[in-house]
Amino acid sequence: MPADQETPTSRRSRGARRRPDQVPPKVKRIPPRSGMSRAEVVANQRARIFAGFAAALVYHGYEDTKVTDIVELAGMSKATFYERFESKELCFEAAYEDGVARLTAVVGGAAREERGWTNQLSAALRAGLAFLTDDPALAHLLFVEALAAARPARLEHERSLERLAEALQGPAGRGEEGAVSEETARMLAGGLASHLSGRILAGEAERLSELHDPLLHYLLAPSLAAPRTTDERRAAAL
């Protein structure tokens, strides 16, 4: 039997180490439509592959997920998979980048609707948590499996945390009051990601939206604790 083929028994045994009480969720298949352009077909296939990969990861984990698992859930052939991606590793990297891009768009859009740093941060956090809550498998991919993936994906995860840290500096980059240092922002980004990872691993991905208030307090605490006026800054320096 080829290395990438499995019997139902071997799949149950492999998946049982992670989620023995659940079966992998089926990805919603998008039926073919006449008149679809080549670009639309490719986009459709990529989206299904990414969704299938995310669903398989929840059940098997990165190391144990095989291409056969992905295509089974995506509802397509292995040949189609390899037309789009040369390997599981490159597929994961693309799926991660796609997920981050979609999450960033949601967060950024919410922040632009508000004025003032605190309101922007609150809106962005609320929108991001809601986005992850609505797609627990993607949340698992972004905050859990990215740490177990091949090195390129792990490096992209680190770059994502760096971009998050830059965003969390907020007014700092514009010299406004309530600034936090670059190092503080990095610790905030790492702590936020770590906490989300822990909640997801605990099976609470569908309750992430409930974390808005405590996480907002955590993210704002350093800036709220910083001296807010020139006199307070001078007093703190004495």
Side-chain angles (χ1 to χ4, degrees), residues 15-70:
R17 294 202 298 272
R18 178 169 290 263
R19 300 291 294 275
D21 58 327
Q22 297 186 22
V23 296
K26 284 287 184 182
V27 174
K28 182 179 180 180
R29 302 181 185 182
I30 304 174
R33 297 179 305 174
S34 60
M36 287 182 68
S37 68
R38 178 63 177 170
E40 289 175 323
V41 170
V42 172
N44 182 327
Q45 292 173 342
R46 284 173 61 90
R48 287 163 60 189
I49 289 171
F50 293 160
F53 205 158
L57 289 170
V58 173
Y59 190 61
H60 300 303
Y62 180 80
E63 289 295 333
D64 283 349
T65 292
K66 297 183 180 296
V67 172
T68 49
D69 300 314
I70 299 169

Coordinates of all heavy atoms in Angstrom, one line a residue, residues 15-70:
G15 N -5.9 9.7 14.4 CA -6.6 10.8 14.9 C -7.0 10.7 16.3 O -7.2 11.7 17.0
A16 N -7.0 9.5 16.9 CA -7.5 9.3 18.2 C -6.5 10.0 19.2 O -6.9 10.3 20.3 CB -7.6 7.8 18.5
R17 N -5.3 10.2 18.8 CA -4.3 10.8 19.8 C -4.7 12.3 20.0 O -4.2 12.9 21.0 CB -2.9 10.7 19.2 CG -2.4 9.3 19.1 CD -0.9 9.3 19.0 NE -0.4 10.0 17.9 CZ -0.2 9.5 16.7 NH1 -0.5 8.2 16.5 NH2 0.3 10.1 15.7
R18 N -5.5 12.9 19.2 CA -5.8 14.3 19.3 C -7.3 14.5 19.7 O -7.6 15.1 20.7 CB -5.5 15.0 18.0 CG -5.8 16.5 18.1 CD -5.3 17.2 16.9 NE -3.8 17.3 17.0 CZ -3.1 18.3 17.4 NH1 -3.8 19.4 17.8 NH2 -1.8 18.3 17.5
R19 N -8.3 14.1 18.9 CA -9.7 14.3 19.2 C -10.5 13.0 19.1 O -11.2 12.9 18.1 CB -10.2 15.4 18.3 CG -9.5 16.7 18.3 CD -9.8 17.4 19.6 NE -11.1 17.8 19.7 CZ -11.6 19.0 19.2 NH1 -10.9 19.8 18.6 NH2 -12.9 19.3 19.4
P20 N -10.3 12.1 20.1 CA -11.0 10.8 19.9 C -12.5 10.9 20.0 O -13.2 10.0 19.5 CB -10.5 10.0 21.1 CG -10.1 11.1 22.1 CD -9.6 12.3 21.3
D21 N -13.1 12.0 20.5 CA -14.5 12.1 20.6 C -15.2 12.8 19.4 O -16.4 13.0 19.4 CB -14.8 13.0 21.9 CG -14.2 14.4 21.8 OD1 -13.1 14.5 21.2 OD2 -14.8 15.3 22.3
Q22 N -14.4 13.2 18.4 CA -15.0 13.9 17.3 C -14.6 13.3 16.0 O -13.5 12.7 15.9 CB -14.6 15.4 17.3 CG -15.2 16.1 18.6 CD -14.9 17.6 18.5 OE1 -14.7 18.1 17.4 NE2 -14.9 18.3 19.6
V23 N -15.4 13.5 15.0 CA -15.0 13.1 13.6 C -14.6 14.4 12.9 O -15.1 15.5 13.3 CB -16.2 12.4 12.8 CG1 -16.5 11.1 13.5 CG2 -17.4 13.3 12.8
P24 N -13.8 14.4 11.9 CA -13.4 15.6 11.3 C -14.5 16.2 10.5 O -15.3 15.5 9.9 CB -12.3 15.1 10.2 CG -12.6 13.7 10.0 CD -13.1 13.2 11.4
P25 N -14.7 17.5 10.7 CA -15.9 18.2 10.0 C -15.7 18.2 8.5 O -14.6 18.3 8.0 CB -15.8 19.6 10.6 CG -14.4 19.8 10.9 CD -13.9 18.5 11.4
K26 N -16.8 18.1 7.8 CA -16.8 18.2 6.4 C -16.8 19.6 5.9 O -17.6 20.5 6.4 CB -18.1 17.5 5.8 CG -18.0 15.9 5.9 CD -17.0 15.4 4.8 CE -16.9 13.9 4.8 NZ -16.0 13.4 3.8
V27 N -16.0 19.9 4.9 CA -15.9 21.2 4.4 C -17.1 21.4 3.4 O -17.4 20.5 2.6 CB -14.6 21.5 3.7 CG1 -14.6 22.8 2.9 CG2 -13.5 21.4 4.7
K28 N -17.7 22.6 3.4 CA -18.8 22.8 2.5 C -18.3 22.9 1.1 O -17.4 23.8 0.8 CB -19.6 24.1 2.9 CG -20.7 24.4 2.0 CD -21.4 25.7 2.4 CE -22.6 26.0 1.5 NZ -23.3 27.3 1.9
R29 N -18.8 22.1 0.2 CA -18.3 22.1 -1.2 C -19.1 23.1 -2.0 O -20.3 23.2 -1.9 CB -18.4 20.7 -1.8 CG -17.6 19.6 -1.0 CD -17.8 18.3 -1.7 NE -17.2 17.2 -0.9 CZ -17.1 16.0 -1.2 NH1 -17.6 15.6 -2.3 NH2 -16.5 15.1 -0.4
I30 N -18.3 23.8 -2.8 CA -19.0 24.8 -3.7 C -19.2 24.1 -5.0 O -18.3 23.7 -5.7 CB -18.1 26.0 -3.9 CG1 -17.7 26.6 -2.6 CG2 -18.7 27.0 -4.8 CD1 -16.7 27.7 -2.7
P31 N -20.5 23.9 -5.4 CA -20.8 23.2 -6.7 C -20.2 23.9 -7.9 O -20.2 25.1 -7.9 CB -22.3 23.1 -6.7 CG -22.7 24.2 -5.8 CD -21.7 24.4 -4.8
P32 N -19.8 23.2 -8.9 CA -19.3 23.8 -10.1 C -20.4 24.6 -10.8 O -21.6 24.3 -10.7 CB -18.9 22.6 -11.0 CG -18.8 21.5 -10.1 CD -19.7 21.7 -8.9
R33 N -20.1 25.7 -11.4 CA -21.0 26.6 -12.1 C -20.5 26.8 -13.5 O -19.4 27.0 -13.7 CB -21.1 27.9 -11.4 CG -21.7 27.9 -10.0 CD -21.7 29.3 -9.4 NE -20.4 29.9 -9.4 CZ -20.2 31.2 -9.1 NH1 -21.2 31.9 -8.7 NH2 -19.0 31.7 -9.2
S34 N -21.5 26.7 -14.4 CA -21.1 27.0 -15.8 C -20.7 28.5 -15.9 O -21.4 29.3 -15.3 CB -22.3 26.6 -16.7 OG -23.4 27.4 -16.4
G35 N -19.8 28.7 -16.8 CA -19.4 30.1 -17.0 C -18.3 30.6 -16.1 O -17.9 31.8 -16.2
M36 N -17.8 29.8 -15.1 CA -16.8 30.3 -14.2 C -15.5 30.5 -15.0 O -15.1 29.6 -15.8 CB -16.6 29.3 -13.1 CG -17.7 29.2 -12.1 SD -17.3 28.0 -10.7 CE -15.9 28.8 -9.9
S37 N -14.8 31.6 -14.7 CA -13.5 31.8 -15.3 C -12.5 30.9 -14.7 O -12.7 30.3 -13.7 CB -13.1 33.3 -15.2 OG -12.8 33.5 -13.8
R38 N -11.3 30.8 -15.4 CA -10.2 30.0 -14.9 C -9.8 30.5 -13.5 O -9.5 29.7 -12.6 CB -9.1 30.1 -15.9 CG -7.8 29.3 -15.4 CD -8.1 27.8 -15.3 NE -6.9 27.1 -14.9 CZ -6.9 25.8 -14.5 NH1 -8.1 25.2 -14.5 NH2 -5.8 25.2 -14.2
A39 N -9.7 31.8 -13.4 CA -9.3 32.4 -12.1 C -10.3 32.1 -11.0 O -9.9 31.8 -9.9 CB -9.2 33.9 -12.2
E40 N -11.6 32.1 -11.3 CA -12.6 31.7 -10.3 C -12.5 30.2 -9.9 O -12.6 29.9 -8.7 CB -14.0 32.0 -10.8 CG -14.3 33.5 -11.0 CD -15.7 33.7 -11.6 OE1 -16.0 33.0 -12.6 OE2 -16.4 34.6 -11.2
V41 N -12.2 29.4 -10.9 CA -12.0 28.0 -10.6 C -10.8 27.7 -9.7 O -10.9 27.0 -8.7 CB -11.9 27.1 -11.9 CG1 -11.4 25.7 -11.6 CG2 -13.1 27.2 -12.7
V42 N -9.7 28.4 -10.0 CA -8.5 28.3 -9.2 C -8.8 28.8 -7.7 O -8.4 28.2 -6.7 CB -7.3 29.0 -9.8 CG1 -6.1 29.0 -8.8 CG2 -6.9 28.3 -11.1
A43 N -9.4 30.0 -7.6 CA -9.7 30.5 -6.3 C -10.6 29.6 -5.5 O -10.5 29.4 -4.3 CB -10.4 31.9 -6.5
N44 N -11.6 29.0 -6.2 CA -12.5 28.1 -5.6 C -11.7 26.9 -5.0 O -11.9 26.5 -3.9 CB -13.6 27.6 -6.6 CG -14.6 26.7 -6.1 OD1 -14.3 25.9 -5.2 ND2 -15.8 26.7 -6.6
Q45 N -10.9 26.3 -5.8 CA -10.1 25.2 -5.4 C -9.2 25.5 -4.3 O -9.1 24.7 -3.3 CB -9.3 24.6 -6.6 CG -10.2 24.0 -7.7 CD -9.4 23.6 -8.9 OE1 -8.3 24.1 -9.1 NE2 -10.0 22.8 -9.8
R46 N -8.5 26.6 -4.3 CA -7.6 27.0 -3.2 C -8.4 27.2 -1.9 O -7.9 26.7 -0.9 CB -6.9 28.3 -3.6 CG -5.8 28.1 -4.6 CD -5.2 29.5 -5.0 NE -4.6 30.2 -3.9 CZ -3.4 30.1 -3.5 NH1 -2.5 29.3 -4.1 NH2 -2.9 30.9 -2.5
A47 N -9.5 27.8 -2.0 CA -10.3 28.0 -0.8 C -10.8 26.7 -0.2 O -10.7 26.5 1.0 CB -11.5 28.9 -1.1
R48 N -11.2 25.8 -1.0 CA -11.6 24.5 -0.5 C -10.4 23.7 0.0 O -10.5 23.0 1.1 CB -12.2 23.7 -1.7 CG -13.6 24.2 -2.0 CD -14.1 23.7 -3.4 NE -14.2 22.2 -3.4 CZ -14.4 21.5 -4.5 NH1 -14.5 22.2 -5.7 NH2 -14.4 20.2 -4.5
I49 N -9.2 23.8 -0.6 CA -8.0 23.1 -0.1 C -7.7 23.7 1.3 O -7.4 23.0 2.3 CB -6.9 23.3 -1.0 CG1 -7.1 22.4 -2.3 CG2 -5.6 22.9 -0.4 CD1 -6.1 22.6 -3.4
F50 N -7.7 25.0 1.4 CA -7.4 25.7 2.7 C -8.3 25.3 3.8 O -7.9 25.0 4.9 CB -7.4 27.2 2.6 CG -6.3 27.8 1.7 CD1 -6.4 29.0 1.1 CD2 -5.2 27.0 1.4 CE1 -5.4 29.5 0.3 CE2 -4.1 27.5 0.6 CZ -4.3 28.8 0.1
A51 N -9.6 25.2 3.5 CA -10.6 24.8 4.4 C -10.5 23.4 4.8 O -10.6 23.0 6.0 CB -12.0 25.1 3.9
G52 N -10.2 22.5 3.8 CA -10.0 21.1 4.1 C -8.8 20.9 5.0 O -8.8 20.0 5.9
F53 N -7.7 21.6 4.7 CA -6.5 21.5 5.5 C -6.8 21.9 6.9 O -6.4 21.2 7.9 CB -5.4 22.5 4.9 CG -4.0 22.0 5.2 CD1 -3.0 22.5 4.4 CD2 -3.7 21.2 6.3 CE1 -1.7 22.1 4.6 CE2 -2.4 20.8 6.5 CZ -1.4 21.3 5.7
A54 N -7.4 23.1 7.1 CA -7.8 23.5 8.5 C -8.6 22.5 9.2 O -8.3 22.2 10.4 CB -8.5 24.9 8.4
A55 N -9.6 21.9 8.6 CA -10.4 20.9 9.2 C -9.6 19.7 9.6 O -9.8 19.1 10.6 CB -11.6 20.5 8.3
A56 N -8.7 19.2 8.7 CA -7.9 18.1 9.0 C -7.0 18.3 10.1 O -6.7 17.4 11.0 CB -7.1 17.7 7.7
L57 N -6.4 19.5 10.3 CA -5.5 19.8 11.3 C -6.1 19.7 12.7 O -5.5 19.3 13.7 CB -5.0 21.3 11.1 CG -4.0 21.5 10.0 CD1 -3.7 23.0 9.8 CD2 -2.7 20.7 10.2
V58 N -7.4 20.1 12.8 CA -8.1 20.0 14.1 C -8.1 18.5 14.6 O -8.0 18.2 15.7 CB -9.5 20.6 14.0 CG1 -10.3 20.3 15.3 CG2 -9.5 22.1 13.7
Y59 N -8.3 17.6 13.6 CA -8.4 16.2 13.9 C -7.1 15.5 14.1 O -6.9 14.7 15.0 CB -9.3 15.6 12.8 CG -9.7 14.2 13.1 CD1 -10.5 13.9 14.2 CD2 -9.3 13.1 12.3 CE1 -10.9 12.6 14.5 CE2 -9.7 11.8 12.6 CZ -10.5 11.5 13.6 OH -11.0 10.3 13.9
H60 N -6.1 15.8 13.2 CA -4.9 15.1 13.2 C -3.7 15.8 13.7 O -2.7 15.2 14.1 CB -4.6 14.6 11.7 CG -5.6 13.8 11.1 ND1 -6.0 12.6 11.6 CD2 -6.3 13.9 10.0 CE1 -7.0 12.1 10.9 NE2 -7.2 12.9 9.9
G61 N -3.7 17.2 13.6 CA -2.4 17.9 13.9 C -1.6 18.0 12.7 O -1.7 17.2 11.7
Y62 N -0.6 18.9 12.7 CA 0.2 19.1 11.5 C 1.0 17.9 11.1 O 1.0 17.5 9.9 CB 1.1 20.3 11.7 CG 2.0 20.6 10.5 CD1 1.4 21.3 9.4 CD2 3.3 20.2 10.4 CE1 2.2 21.6 8.3 CE2 4.0 20.4 9.3 CZ 3.5 21.1 8.2 OH 4.2 21.3 7.1
E63 N 1.8 17.4 12.0 CA 2.7 16.3 11.6 C 1.9 15.1 11.0 O 2.4 14.4 10.0 CB 3.5 15.8 12.8 CG 4.5 16.8 13.3 CD 5.6 17.0 12.2 OE1 5.9 16.1 11.4 OE2 6.2 18.1 12.2
D64 N 0.7 14.8 11.5 CA 0.0 13.6 11.1 C -1.0 13.8 10.0 O -1.6 12.9 9.5 CB -0.7 13.0 12.3 CG 0.2 12.2 13.2 OD1 1.4 12.0 12.8 OD2 -0.2 11.9 14.3
T65 N -1.2 15.1 9.6 CA -2.1 15.3 8.5 C -1.5 15.0 7.2 O -0.3 15.4 6.9 CB -2.5 16.8 8.5 OG1 -3.4 17.1 9.6 CG2 -3.3 17.1 7.2
K66 N -2.2 14.2 6.4 CA -1.7 13.8 5.0 C -2.5 14.5 4.0 O -3.6 14.9 4.2 CB -1.7 12.3 4.9 CG -0.8 11.6 5.9 CD -0.9 10.1 5.6 CE 0.0 9.3 6.7 NZ 1.4 9.7 6.5
V67 N -1.9 14.5 2.8 CA -2.6 15.1 1.6 C -4.0 14.4 1.4 O -5.0 15.0 1.0 CB -1.8 15.1 0.4 CG1 -2.6 15.5 -0.9 CG2 -0.5 16.0 0.6
T68 N -4.0 13.1 1.6 CA -5.2 12.3 1.5 C -6.3 12.9 2.4 O -7.5 12.9 2.0 CB -5.0 10.8 1.7 OG1 -4.3 10.7 3.0 CG2 -4.2 10.2 0.6
D69 N -6.0 13.3 3.6 CA -6.9 13.8 4.5 C -7.5 15.2 4.0 O -8.7 15.4 4.1 CB -6.3 14.1 5.9 CG -5.8 12.8 6.6 OD1 -6.5 11.8 6.6 OD2 -4.6 12.9 7.1
I70 N -6.6 16.0 3.5 CA -7.0 17.3 3.0 C -7.9 17.2 1.8 O -9.0 17.8 1.8 CB -5.7 18.1 2.6 CG1 -4.8 18.3 3.8 CG2 -6.1 19.5 2.0 CD1 -3.4 18.8 3.4

